[in-house]
Amino acid sequence: MPANGTGSRRYHAGVNRTVREGLRVTAKQGAPGVGGAPRLSELMPWSVPPLRLGRSWVRAPDAATLRARWKALVDAEDAAVRARLFRPSRARTPDSAVGQLPGQTTPTGPLSRAGGPCPEPVPVLHGPFDRQWLLPDHRLIDAARPELWRVAGERQLFAVELGLVPQSPGPAVVCSDLLPDGHSPAGRPGRIRPLYRRPGGAEPNLTPGLPELLARRLDRPVAPTDLLAWITATARHSPDGAAVPLTADPALWDRGVALGERLLWLHTRGRYASRHARGCPAGERPRMPGGRRPYVRAPLPARGLPDSLAYEAEEETLLLGGARIAPVPRGAWEFAAGGVRVLEAWFAQRGATAPGTEAADAGALAALRPAGWPQEWTSELLELLTVLALVAELRPDADRLAGEVAAGPQVGGAELRAAGVLPAPDAARRPASVLDHHEEGPNGQFALL
């Protein structure tokens, strides 16, 4: 029988209930400590809070919808209508004039006096695993975190530390090659930590002296990507931030880095070039072995959007309304991150009852959505199912590694402090000065950084 059918309202009610129940458990029992393991905030000192959009219509699961919303905004000739569509906030109104986001070429004059073509949507990571699109216009976003855009690029990787949701399974850290918005499905904010502090993969965002100390203890070079791979494989939730146990066993380190690199390859959909893990060719998208690859068995309708998501465990079949996709391993269906099932969160943004479909939103830009299910969403879903299934298969390896690291020699917080690696200097917790490119300020003025 189908299980766990969901729409947007039921989904969000479940998220809120999960958070409330988890908070009650933590208050009564207290949260478990994590030995002497250093925190991620100590190893990667510079972090940025999640983006605060201020208006939901500037992000969408497809780029065509964003272009349609922009056209509806700039075609509104009446100032009051344009303001209502824009949805002003304390940080942004149609009269706001702000500088460009780094790397973008959007106008900087007030929207109330401007029109023009739609800013080219850019792909972003929404939440832990959902790849969506964003209008990269600083006039539209309350807090776009320019410091993140300034260091984004081909060599950059981002570690997204997910907020703790007590008694909820899932990774503590998810990595991305796309700029992440830091959204937490269950409403518990985390942090975004770029691997590099400057464009072009320069100056690792690692506490000074850490790679050198680990290299001495492990008798092998420790590259910034090695540390990020280790973090991805071993980070665990704790009440005061993700904890990262550091082994002093060279063999365990090598295993953890190889496991983490495979996870990085999966998190980035094959875009990360692995140096140590086998079967992770750079530029090749992850695929399930033949016979296990999910296929569309019954197609999605050409018109309209499905209003429910369910799973048939015996048949390993995912149901989107009347559509059927199989085989879908149970591990992919049950995979949770940030306090919710990833597939339910993904569908909640795209189904018939997604945000913006309420009667109160009629006439709002968020209500502009595809009339039918785009083919690109099917391709994205098949890729997401593959990634979640393959990540879920690695969980036993990660659990075994965690047990062996806990039982073996470690480089703990006390040793890091004795060596002068911790605490990280204040300068390492602030963004680096980036002075090698032009940025346009409000109303076309030159921006001083």
Side-chain angles (χ1 to χ4, degrees):
M1 293 292 291
N4 292 297
T6 183
S8 179
R9 288 187 296 272
R10 186 183 307 170
Y11 161 76
H12 289 291
V15 167
N16 293 334
R17 185 168 56 254
T18 298
V19 174
R20 290 195 302 269
E21 291 175 353
L23 290 174
R24 283 198 295 270
V25 169
T26 303
K28 290 180 180 179
Q29 300 177 358
V34 186
R39 298 304 185 259
L40 179 59
S41 58
E42 297 176 303
L43 306 184
M44 300 181 74
W46 176 44
S47 69
V48 180
L51 276 62
R52 191 176 75 252
L53 300 184
R55 48 206 51 84
S56 63
W57 63 265
V58 302
R59 189 196 68 245
D62 63 297
T65 291
L66 292 179
R67 295 189 181 98
R69 291 172 179 175
W70 173 267
K71 185 177 186 304
L73 177 70
V74 299
D75 284 354
E77 297 181 358
D78 183 84
V81 173
R82 182 176 287 206
R84 177 175 58 81
L85 290 173
F86 180 85
R87 296 210 164 182
S89 63
R90 287 186 297 176
R92 292 289 185 271
T93 73
D95 295 316
S96 297
V98 295
Q100 288 174 342
L101 285 174
Q104 306 302 312
T105 57
T106 53
T108 57
L111 275 169
S112 58
R113 305 196 304 263
C118 178
E120 188 60 30
V122 297
V124 295
L125 182 71
H126 174 59
F129 286 93
D130 189 354
R131 295 191 164 215
Q132 294 199 20
W133 296 85
L134 180 71
L135 290 176
D137 191 320
H138 208 180
R139 299 170 297 176
L140 305 178
I141 304 172
D142 281 8
R145 316 303 180 195
E147 58 270 40
L148 287 180
W149 298 77
R150 198 167 286 129
V151 301
E154 187 175 342
R155 294 192 59 192
Q156 185 66 273
L157 291 169
F158 298 94
V160 183
E161 181 180 358
L162 303 179
L164 173 64
V165 180
Q167 294 191 330
S168 177
V173 173
V174 171
C175 293
S176 174
D177 57 317
L178 300 179
L179 189 144
D181 66 10
H183 170 73
S184 180
R188 306 297 303 280
R191 304 288 292 187
I192 302 169
R193 301 181 187 277
L195 178 58
Y196 298 105
R197 292 167 48 82
R198 299 180 186 274
E203 190 178 338
N205 179 25
L206 300 170
T207 189
L210 176 63
E212 293 78 8
L213 183 147
L214 290 176
R216 292 194 299 270
R217 291 284 264 121
L218 297 166
D219 194 26
R220 62 209 351 89
V222 175
T225 50
D226 295 340
L227 257 170
L228 182 62
W230 177 266
I231 289 167
T232 306
T234 63
R236 294 292 183 267
H237 287 293
S238 77
D240 54 349
V244 183
L246 297 173
T247 186
D249 184 323
L252 287 181
W253 174 263
D254 291 344
R255 274 177 50 197
V257 169
L259 174 61
E261 287 209 327
R262 180 161 179 80
L263 288 169
L264 284 174
W265 182 72
L266 291 170
H267 288 187
T268 61
R269 314 292 173 92
R271 294 172 179 83
Y272 173 77
S274 172
R275 296 189 304 141
H276 302 288
R278 295 180 179 178
C280 302
E284 184 173 319
R285 293 186 174 185
R287 301 183 70 182
M288 298 286 287
R292 297 181 57 210
R293 294 173 188 164
Y295 290 96
V296 178
R297 309 298 180 178
L300 286 135
R303 299 288 297 175
L305 298 171
D307 60 2
S308 64
L309 178 72
Y311 182 68
E312 289 183 346
E314 292 184 5
E315 302 294 329
E316 289 194 323
T317 299
L318 188 70
L319 308 173
L320 295 86
R324 301 172 66 87
I325 298 177
V328 174
R330 182 188 289 268
W333 167 251
E334 294 181 345
F335 195 97
V340 299
R341 284 182 175 171
V342 169
L343 287 175
E344 291 183 336
W346 186 91
F347 179 78
Q349 294 288 315
R350 293 164 176 81
T353 55
T357 57
E358 300 288 344
D361 292 325
L365 293 179
L368 289 176
R369 305 179 64 236
W373 186 271
Q375 177 60 41
E376 65 192 75
W377 288 2
T378 301
S379 300
E380 291 172 13
L381 177 57
L382 294 175
E383 184 176 66
L384 178 60
L385 290 169
T386 298
V387 167
L388 295 182
L390 292 175
V391 172
E393 289 180 354
L394 296 176
R395 186 170 295 164
D397 294 339
D399 291 341
R400 281 193 293 272
L401 177 67
E404 293 180 45
V405 170
Q410 294 187 39
V411 179
E415 180 176 345
L416 294 174
R417 286 173 171 77
V421 173
L422 296 182
D426 289 341
R429 301 186 181 278
R430 297 191 295 266
S433 297
V434 178
L435 304 174
D436 58 355
H437 65 292
H438 170 83
E439 291 179 20
E440 186 175 304
N443 289 312
Q445 300 173 21
F446 181 71
L448 296 176
L449 304 179

